[in-house]
């Protein structure tokens, strides 16, 4: 068994890997202002291009999940990250060489396809190496990859793309992915499989005879609505709508994401103390509904406080992700968690990919306050869908 320090090193590697995927999939949204201003794309066209990595992720997430269940975490992580380096190199070069937009779109699509293994792999590493009383906290730390990845992207991509072009902005996901690859190569080891007695229970299909997983998936999709909307359109909202400089907007988004990262850790610790993954999710759903509704109202009034409310909403709307991931991985077991987490990611990213152009059209037609209000309806619907805690007994222990 690894030392405690080795466990935390593997957690750091999992975080970096997922952060690379976030930069690939969500970082492109920070190119929307530059695509809109300097390359003449409409908001709908630019947001559609920004959705290409998400569509790529959707195409491959479940296949990566099957591969994780069969081949383990280390090999699949290294393969995924190495292929992503190639895809993002192509994307950056495509723009620098003035290739057609379709070529850039295909390269971004490929980046989504290749990077899709990291979220499921990281979740499996946390559940496989950390005991139940520490999993919520550990998974909360691992899930900070999303807000931290968005924060890094917000602070760098708009500024680089404004000064040096879109291709320079695309270098950021490439650099983060390269760093993650080296760290994974050095520290990650596959968690042990369950004993033969437990494997009989954990290898059975966890979707049979229980509504727990489908309800968690449904809640997560609904909570991803405001999350994805804010990730994608807040830079344009600040830079284009409110005339903020790219640097100032990037700093504010980065601050909101850093606070959001701390919120995920706090939510994970909260779930460890409560002994429940789902009770905190219900309260987070209520908070997301209230904060998005207030953001819509203050922006409609033209109040400067709307920027502060945006930060609050950004923090609340990302707090549930680690809790859902932990609950799914614990319930599914090592024989099924790759596929179950793939279903989770597919559902969330499917909505984000489909909704990005729709929200772009809604903003163009009705304005940002209406779009914020539409986004607030989804977490409101999630409140009653959150399931009670449910756990399969074979999954409650981890080798120490």
């Amino acid at each position: 068994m690894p030392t405690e320090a080795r466990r935390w090193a593997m957690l750091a590697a999992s975080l970096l890997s997922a952060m690379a995927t976030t930069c690939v999939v969500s970082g492109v949204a920070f190119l929307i202002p530059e695509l809109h201003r300097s390359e003449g794309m409409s908001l709908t066209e630019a947001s559609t291009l920004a959705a290409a990595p998400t569509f790529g992720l959707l195409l491959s997430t479940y296949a990566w999940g099957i591969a994780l269940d069969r081949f383990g975490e280390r090999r699949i992580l290294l393969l995924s990250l190495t292929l992503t380096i190639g895809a993002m190199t192509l994307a950056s070069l495509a723009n620098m060489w003035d290739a057609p937009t379709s070529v850039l779109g295909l390269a971004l699509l490929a980046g989504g396809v290749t990077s899709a293994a990291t979220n499921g792999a990281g979740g499996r590493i946390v559940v496989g190496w950390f005991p139940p009383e520490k999993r919520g906290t550990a998974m909360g730390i691992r899930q900070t990859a999303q807000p931290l990845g968005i924060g890094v992207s917000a602070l760098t991509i708009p500024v680089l793309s404004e000064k040096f072009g879109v291709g320079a902005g695309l270098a950021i996901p490439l650099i983060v992915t390269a760093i993650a690859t080296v760290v994974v190569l050095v520290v990650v080891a596959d968690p042990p499989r369950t004993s033969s007695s437990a494997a009989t229970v954990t290898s059975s299909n966890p979707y049979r005879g229980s509504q727990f997983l489908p309800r968690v998936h449904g809640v997560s999709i609904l909570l991803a609505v405001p999350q994805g909307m804010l990730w994608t359109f807040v830079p344009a909202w600040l830079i284009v709508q409110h005339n903020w400089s790219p640097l100032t907007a990037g700093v504010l988004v980065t601050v909101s994401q850093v606070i959001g990262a701390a919120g995920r850790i706090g939510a994970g610790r909260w779930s460890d103390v409560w002994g429940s993954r789902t009770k905190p999710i219900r309260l987070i759903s209520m908070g997301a509904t209230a904060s998005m509704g207030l953001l819509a109202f203050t922006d409609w009034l033209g109040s400067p406080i709307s920027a502060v409310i945006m930060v609050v909403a950004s923090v609340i709307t990302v707090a549930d992700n680690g809790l859902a991931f932990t609950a799914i991985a614990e319930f599914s077991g090592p024989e099924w968690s790759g596929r179950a987490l793939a279903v989770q990611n597919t559902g969330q990213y499917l909505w984000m990919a489909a909704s990005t152009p729709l929200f772009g059209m809604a903003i163009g037609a009705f304005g940002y306050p209406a779009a914020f209000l539409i986004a607030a309806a989804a977490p409101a619907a999630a409140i009653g869908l959150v399931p009670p805690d449910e756990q399969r007994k074979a999954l409650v222990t981890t080798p120490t």
Side-chain angles (χ1 to χ4, degrees):
M1 293 299 125
T3 63
E4 191 69 11
R6 180 74 184 279
R7 283 178 175 168
W8 288 98
M10 287 193 283
L11 174 59
S14 300
L15 188 156
L16 278 170
S17 300
M19 188 172 163
T21 296
T22 298
C23 291
V24 170
V25 174
S26 300
V28 183
F30 294 94
L31 295 171
I32 290 177
E34 193 62 24
L35 292 169
H36 183 56
R37 287 190 309 192
S38 67
E39 304 209 7
M41 291 188 184
S42 68
L43 189 60
T44 301
E45 290 171 336
S47 58
T48 300
L49 183 66
T54 307
F55 279 113
L57 184 145
L58 290 171
L59 293 173
S60 64
T61 295
Y62 194 77
W64 282 118
I66 295 172
L68 284 166
D69 288 338
R70 178 170 296 183
F71 299 110
E73 293 75 14
R74 178 181 168 84
R75 281 183 288 179
I76 297 304
L77 265 178
L78 288 173
L79 177 62
S80 173
L81 291 168
T82 302
L83 292 174
T84 302
I85 289 173
M88 295 314 296
T89 299
L90 178 60
S92 185
L93 292 176
N95 184 265
M96 289 181 177
W97 292 342
D98 293 323
T101 302
S102 59
V103 175
L104 174 59
L106 288 173
L108 293 174
L109 182 75
V113 169
T114 58
S115 67
T118 64
N119 288 320
R124 287 166 59 94
I125 288 170
V126 168
V127 172
W129 284 124
F130 284 83
E133 67 274 11
K134 294 182 179 180
R135 281 180 194 154
T137 304
M139 190 72 83
I141 293 171
R142 214 265 350 160
Q143 292 295 94
T144 63
Q146 288 179 310
L148 290 178
I150 290 173
V152 168
S153 298
L155 202 59
T156 57
I157 292 176
V159 175
L160 286 174
S161 61
E162 182 186 42
K163 290 185 176 181
F164 305 109
V166 170
L170 287 170
I172 296 302
L174 174 60
I175 293 169
V176 175
T177 304
I179 294 171
T181 305
V182 174
V183 176
V184 168
L185 181 65
V186 172
V187 303
V188 167
D190 290 341
R193 294 284 180 164
T194 55
S195 65
S196 58
S197 60
T200 300
V201 179
T202 59
S203 62
S204 63
N205 189 334
Y207 289 91
R208 292 176 181 167
S210 172
Q211 291 298 309
F212 180 78
L213 290 179
R215 287 180 67 173
V216 172
H217 295 326
V219 167
S220 298
I221 290 171
L222 289 168
L223 291 176
V225 172
Q227 185 181 125
M229 193 271 175
L230 291 174
W231 285 354
T232 303
F233 291 103
V234 159
W237 177 62
L238 293 171
I239 296 170
V240 178
Q241 187 73 14
H242 293 286
N243 298 313
W244 288 39
S245 71
L247 179 60
T248 305
V251 168
L252 182 63
V253 172
T254 301
V255 168
S256 71
Q257 295 302 321
V258 170
I259 299 172
R264 290 192 181 201
I265 298 171
R269 181 58 184 161
W270 181 15
S271 76
D272 286 339
V273 172
W274 270 20
S276 171
R277 311 299 181 200
T278 60
K279 289 178 183 177
I281 294 177
R282 183 174 288 108
L283 294 179
I284 290 167
S285 301
M286 296 176 182
T289 303
S291 60
M292 289 301 296
L294 187 58
L295 176 58
F297 180 65
T298 54
D299 192 44
W300 176 67
L301 291 177
S303 171
I305 201 175
S306 61
V308 178
I309 302 301
M310 182 277 294
V311 173
V312 174
S314 296
V315 172
I316 294 174
T317 56
V318 302
D320 68 288
N321 290 36
L323 303 178
F325 244 59
T326 307
I328 290 167
E330 286 179 332
F331 187 82
S332 302
E335 303 298 327
W336 269 87
S337 60
R339 281 164 284 183
L341 292 172
V343 171
Q344 170 79 355
N345 280 323
T346 298
Q348 288 184 297
Y349 281 109
L350 178 62
W351 167 255
M352 290 184 186
S355 68
T356 296
L358 294 176
F359 272 117
M361 289 187 286
I363 292 167
F366 307 110
Y368 280 96
F372 291 142
L373 190 61
I374 292 169
I383 296 170
L385 186 61
V386 177
D389 285 294
E390 189 175 342
Q391 194 169 35
R392 298 201 296 174
K393 295 185 183 299
L395 309 179
V396 298
T397 59
T398 294
T400 58

